[in-house]
Amino acid sequence: MSYMKTIKIKYFTDKIDKLAYIDGKSDWIDLRAAEDVSLKKGEFKLIPLGVAMELPEGYEAHVVPRSSTFKNFGIIQTNHQGVIDSTYCGNNDQWFMPVYAVRDTQIHVNDRICQFRIMENQPKIVFEETDHLDNADRGGHGSTGVQ
């Protein structure tokens, strides 16, 4: 049984659309650029996303590019997936997307550039060392074929 979580959110600008969870469409919520950004090929920038949140204890946010981000803007998220834990919740803890431009590009205020979802933290685990695993080998890295 799942229940709705309430998350406090602070906006750093009124120039971006408010976040909305669209039930039944996707578990991911779009994030938007909070300022106009001009990048030349090879440049790096932390793009402000205009929000800070107080995530519930035991949860974290996973931030990734949208499927169209590279095609539309020619940027790559440099950490590939941002993880924002519940301790990053101060009044000035604005979220950012670290990007690298592979071509000259323009990103405008309110452009949807990435997305996030809230996930429960990994449960506590203990590693038990062994000299042998009893399962069948799969054949090594990349062994499932190309088709």
Side-chain angles (χ1 to χ4, degrees), residues 45-94:
K45 169 101 174 140
L46 286 172
I47 300 178
L49 301 173
V51 296
M53 293 182 213
E54 190 176 294
L55 301 176
E57 188 175 334
Y59 287 82
E60 61 194 22
H62 295 181
V63 180
V64 299
R66 297 179 73 239
S67 60
S68 61
T69 298
F70 183 77
K71 175 181 66 86
N72 291 343
F73 303 108
I75 56 174
I76 295 171
Q77 184 172 340
T78 58
N79 59 353
H80 303 288
Q81 174 178 297
V83 178
I84 300 170
D85 65 39
S86 63
T87 65
Y88 190 71
C89 59
N91 191 53
N92 294 305
D93 287 341
Q94 180 172 196

Side-chain angles (χ1 to χ4, degrees), residues 31-127:
L31 291 164
R32 298 168 182 273
E35 66 182 36
D36 289 328
V37 175
S38 292
L39 291 169
K40 298 285 185 198
K41 180 180 179 178
E43 289 184 330
F44 169 83
K45 169 101 174 140
L46 286 172
I47 300 178
L49 301 173
V51 296
M53 293 182 213
E54 190 176 294
L55 301 176
E57 188 175 334
Y59 287 82
E60 61 194 22
H62 295 181
V63 180
V64 299
R66 297 179 73 239
S67 60
S68 61
T69 298
F70 183 77
K71 175 181 66 86
N72 291 343
F73 303 108
I75 56 174
I76 295 171
Q77 184 172 340
T78 58
N79 59 353
H80 303 288
Q81 174 178 297
V83 178
I84 300 170
D85 65 39
S86 63
T87 65
Y88 190 71
C89 59
N91 191 53
N92 294 305
D93 287 341
Q94 180 172 196
W95 292 14
F96 291 85
M97 181 185 187
V99 302
Y100 177 81
V102 298
R103 61 173 163 84
D104 292 359
T105 190
Q106 291 281 332
I107 300 165
H108 301 289
V109 170
N110 209 41
D111 281 346
R112 295 180 299 161
I113 58 170
C114 56
Q115 58 190 339
F116 79 101
R117 71 183 308 183
I118 306 296
M119 303 289 295
E120 277 192 86
N121 291 356
Q122 177 171 284
K124 291 184 173 150
I125 60 173
V126 175
F127 291 102

Side-chain angles (χ1 to χ4, degrees), residues 21-37:
Y21 177 76
I22 304 170
D23 195 23
K25 181 181 177 208
S26 172
D27 286 344
W28 294 84
I29 301 165
D30 289 337
L31 291 164
R32 298 168 182 273
E35 66 182 36
D36 289 328
V37 175

